[in-house]
Amino acid sequence: MTLKTVSPGGKRLLFFYEKRRPSDIRVIQRQMSERKFDPALILGTANRCRFGCPRAVVCSPLSGGVPFPTSFWLTCPWLARHIGNVESSGGVGELEQWLENHARGEWLIFEAEHRLARMALLPPAHLKFLRRFKPAFFDRLRRGGAGGIRHSGGSPIRVKCIHLQTASWLAFRRHPGEEWLKARGIGQDCAGVRCCFSGAPKNPVCW
C-alpha cells in the first residue's frame, strides 16, 4: 500500500489516500457500471468499506486539460442508492438548512479546505502553466469548493448533492454536517448484502 498525503504549503494534513492500483480500478469499474465515470480521472482511493472495497476515490483536478470540479467521487453502489433515497425526500435542502443553522462557520472553512486540496493535487509545474497560459482555468480551480461550488461569505449554503458531500466526508474523515449525515444512516457499510465475494472471503467486490 502506497499512501499519498495532501498537505499544501507545509500546512496541516488535509487528507491522505492510497495511490491508484489496477485491482482497485477493476473494482471501481464494476461499482460504476451503471453510472458515467472515466476511471482515468482516478488518482487513488480515499476511503474503503470494512470489506476493503473503495467507497470514495480522489480525482484529478484536470480532465483532458479542462478543470474537473469534483475532487472526491463516491463509488459505493449501496451508499449511492441509499443517498438517492435521502435526496428524493428533500435531503439536499434539509442539509443546506441544517448547515446554515448549526455550522455555517465550519462550512466556510471546509470549503476553503476543498480549494486548498484541489490545488495541492496538481504538480507545481501544472499550476505554473495554468496561471500563465490558462488564467480562466486557474481561477476556476482555485475558487471552486466541493463540486466546484463557489461561495462568498454572505451567500446561502449550497451543497449540490449529498453524494458529493458524503464522498468529501469519507475522504477528509470530517464534515461540518457529520451529525446530520450520521442521523440518516449515511456513511455506513452495506453489511455484505450487496457484495459479490471474489476468491477469498477477505477480497469482496462490491456490486
Side-chain angles (χ1 to χ4, degrees):
M1 179 176 68
T2 303
L3 290 179
K4 175 75 174 179
T5 59
V6 179
S7 183
K11 298 181 180 180
R12 71 182 181 87
L13 177 70
L14 290 178
F15 68 96
F16 63 89
Y17 64 95
E18 299 173 48
K19 289 186 177 180
R20 60 176 286 160
R21 56 195 193 196
S23 59
D24 279 345
I25 298 301
R26 289 193 293 270
V27 172
I28 293 165
Q29 286 177 316
R30 293 185 66 181
Q31 290 177 321
M32 302 291 286
S33 61
E34 298 179 359
R35 290 179 282 168
K36 186 177 179 180
F37 184 76
D38 180 7
L41 284 169
I42 298 173
L43 297 178
T45 299
N47 189 282
R48 297 179 184 274
C49 71
R50 62 194 175 97
F51 298 108
C53 295
R55 291 200 297 176
V57 297
V58 182
C59 301
S60 170
L62 294 175
S63 173
V66 176
F68 185 71
T70 306
S71 298
F72 309 111
W73 197 285
L74 187 72
T75 64
C76 171
W78 182 85
L79 267 178
R81 285 190 294 272
H82 178 64
I83 292 169
N85 293 333
V86 174
E87 288 187 341
S88 66
S89 62
V92 171
E94 289 180 16
L95 176 56
E96 290 173 343
Q97 191 60 53
W98 191 94
L99 290 167
E100 286 281 6
N101 294 338
H102 301 281
R104 182 174 180 84
E106 292 86 344
W107 171 258
L108 294 176
I109 293 172
F110 190 67
E111 284 289 276
E113 289 184 330
H114 259 281
R115 294 191 289 271
L116 287 172
R118 182 182 295 111
M119 300 297 279
L121 286 170
L122 281 174
H126 288 192
L127 290 173
K128 184 176 181 180
F129 174 85
L130 290 173
R131 186 195 294 268
R132 182 174 180 181
F133 299 106
K134 300 282 187 177
F137 286 178
F138 181 82
D139 190 62
R140 283 169 60 184
L141 288 172
R142 74 184 182 89
R143 291 181 181 273
I149 304 170
R150 293 192 181 192
H151 286 287
S152 62
S155 63
I157 289 177
R158 295 290 178 263
V159 301
K160 198 169 186 177
C161 76
I162 300 174
H163 296 79
L164 165 68
Q165 297 304 325
T166 301
S168 301
W169 173 32
L170 294 176
F172 279 115
R173 275 81 171 171
R174 61 190 182 280
H175 192 284
E178 182 172 340
E179 180 182 337
W180 187 93
L181 294 167
K182 284 184 175 180
R184 282 144 189 85
I186 298 172
Q188 297 178 7
D189 290 336
C190 64
V193 295
R194 294 291 292 177
C195 280
C196 174
F197 287 84
S198 174
K202 292 184 179 180
N203 185 31
V205 176
C206 281
W207 188 248

